[in-house]
Amino acid sequence: MITVMRYGHRPMRDKRTTTHVGLVARAFGADRILLAGTGGVPKSILDVVDRWGGDFRVETVREWRRFLRDFQGTRIHLTMYGLPLGETIDEIRERSLKGDLLIFVGAEKVPPEVYEWCDYNVAVGSQPHSEIAALAVFLDHLHRGAELECEFPGAELRVVPSERGKEVKEL
Ligand code: SAM
């Protein structure tokens, strides 16, 4: 099971980014997103799950500190200050075969205990960029691209890949 924890969502400012973190988590092979310290769940993530299928879950967690500290599995904090992705991803993939993963991404400044409690602080390059990009690249390296071939059971809609134009099949 792969969980993404999104920390520090500010309801007015970050709604669109949180939605995109959720959509990327789902599309790139995570099982659920936990929104820590949020005002609510953006409806657009739930709409995508409804129409495009799969079992992706969206939950909120009030006591995120306790959840992170006590999590039984491997905790990964994505941060530009961490160790390079290329040096850590094979070990993390090995661990994912034996237990659950929690991937922590921030919106605002992340409290110091997160760096302490997480088993890995991983940098997707050591430049500042975005939690959406960091998550996508991390999950893609974790799954070695296989997540892009995944089927989403129970979908109402499916894209029919085409060289030009848009084709969507209603199932
Ligand atoms: N200024 C914030 C801080 O010092 O923690 C970072 C804000 S950044 C816009 C939001 C999130 O993107 C970070 O918490 C981190 O999870 C992720 N992020 C940004 N650049 C990253 C990188 N190079 N590698 C991994 N994660 C990154």
Side-chain angles (χ1 to χ4, degrees), residues 77-81 104-110 115 122-131 134:
H77 171 212
L78 298 182
T79 165
M80 62 185 280
Y81 306 106
F104 186 103
V105 294
E108 54 189 66
K109 196 166 159 40
V110 169
Y115 292 80
V122 174
V124 180
S126 298
Q127 300 296 317
H129 50 82
S130 132
E131 55 271 44

Side-chain angles (χ1 to χ4, degrees), residues 11-166:
M12 294 316 285
R13 241 174 97 175
D14 295 331
K15 193 167 166 201
R16 195 173 145 82
T17 312
T18 299
T19 298
H20 286 187
V21 172
L23 296 182
V24 161
R26 171 184 172 275
F28 287 74
D31 300 288
R32 72 171 166 171
I33 185 167
L34 289 178
L35 304 176
T38 72
V41 172
K43 189 174 168 296
S44 35
I45 309 179
L46 302 173
D47 288 345
V48 167
V49 177
D50 270 356
R51 301 179 73 208
W52 293 90
D55 300 321
F56 188 74
R57 283 152 49 193
V58 186
E59 294 165 16
T60 54
V61 58
R62 232 174 240 283
E63 305 233 19
W64 70 268
R65 277 190 168 79
R66 180 151 25 132
F67 190 95
L68 180 67
R69 195 192 56 207
D70 299 345
F71 182 78
Q72 298 297 305
T74 302
R75 294 156 295 184
I76 302 122
H77 171 212
L78 298 182
T79 165
M80 62 185 280
Y81 306 106
L83 297 178
L85 178 65
E87 283 179 19
T88 48
I89 196 67
D90 289 344
E91 212 174 287
I92 294 171
R93 192 182 305 108
E94 281 291 308
R95 280 180 172 233
S96 76
L97 303 175
K98 296 176 198 141
D100 295 336
L101 297 188
L102 177 75
I103 305 164
F104 186 103
V105 294
E108 54 189 66
K109 196 166 159 40
V110 169
E113 57 267 35
V114 173
Y115 292 80
E116 289 300 317
W117 291 339
C118 284
D119 303 285
Y120 295 88
N121 290 292
V122 174
V124 180
S126 298
Q127 300 296 317
H129 50 82
S130 132
E131 55 271 44
I132 304 169
L135 181 63
V137 171
F138 177 85
L139 287 171
D140 188 59
H141 278 60
L142 180 72
H143 297 299
R144 296 189 166 116
E147 80 286 358
L148 301 180
E149 316 295 329
C150 268
E151 297 283 329
F152 286 82
E156 289 172 14
L157 299 171
R158 186 175 302 150
V159 168
V160 181
S162 65
E163 217 169 326
R164 283 183 193 81
K166 301 186 212 173

